Amino acid sequence: MFRTAILRSAAAASRTAMRPSAAAGRFAIAPASRTGSFVPKTVAWQAVRCYASGSSLEKTEVYERIKQLLSGFDKVNDPSNITESAHFANDLGLDSLDTVEVVMAIEEEFSIEIPDKDADTIHSVEKAVEYIVSQPDAN
């Protein structure tokens, strides 16, 4: 029923001369063909959304940014203990609440959202670096 209504309106539009309107500049209505199909033809340029994968972050860059973030964190007992294999609780003296705050700071630093199940596995600098490098949308 809907298809029939469209076909009738297309046939009527092709028989009568219509005043040009704003929509007429964008679309041209194809005359009704013998098969009865209605296919509008686009006249104006259509925008196409293209995605490009940006360059991924390097491990050294991610490590340096996390190291800088942790060195500015007040509760780290000794900033010289921040290494690539440093554990938040064992080496840096952070408790579980501090670890959550560090993960939130990492989210903010790299403009990503870390789900709770993944945040529970990040307990060291090495795990944080691996997670950030594996995220394609990390900045």
Side-chain angles (χ1 to χ4, degrees):
M1 182 170 160
F2 182 70
R3 182 173 180 233
T4 307
I6 291 175
L7 292 174
R8 285 183 187 152
S9 65
S14 65
R15 279 182 266 149
T16 61
M18 293 180 57
R19 265 184 30 206
S21 65
R26 288 183 287 170
F27 298 105
I29 299 176
S33 65
R34 293 180 199 172
T35 61
S37 66
F38 173 75
V39 180
K41 294 182 181 178
T42 305
V43 175
W45 181 83
Q46 292 182 347
V48 177
R49 186 175 289 190
C50 299
Y51 294 100
S53 61
S55 61
S56 62
L57 296 172
E58 297 292 326
K59 273 189 167 185
T60 55
E61 178 187 356
V62 173
Y63 168 68
E64 290 300 323
R65 287 172 65 181
I66 291 177
K67 181 178 178 180
Q68 183 180 13
L69 182 132
L70 287 170
S71 64
F73 200 69
D74 295 338
K75 297 182 180 179
V76 172
N77 58 8
D78 187 14
S80 63
N81 289 341
I82 303 172
T83 61
E84 289 185 17
S85 61
H87 192 272
F88 293 150
N90 299 342
D91 299 326
L92 302 178
L94 301 176
D95 61 8
S96 60
L97 183 59
D98 296 333
T99 301
V100 171
E101 290 179 11
V102 167
V103 170
M104 289 172 51
I106 290 172
E107 285 179 333
E108 189 174 319
E109 173 69 25
F110 292 97
S111 301
I112 61 170
E113 186 173 331
I114 302 174
D116 291 339
K117 68 179 183 103
D118 294 335
D120 292 339
T121 64
I122 299 175
H123 293 290
S124 65
V125 174
E126 181 180 16
K127 295 277 187 179
V129 170
E130 287 175 9
Y131 185 82
I132 298 300
V133 168
S134 71
Q135 297 302 308
D137 56 342
N139 293 329

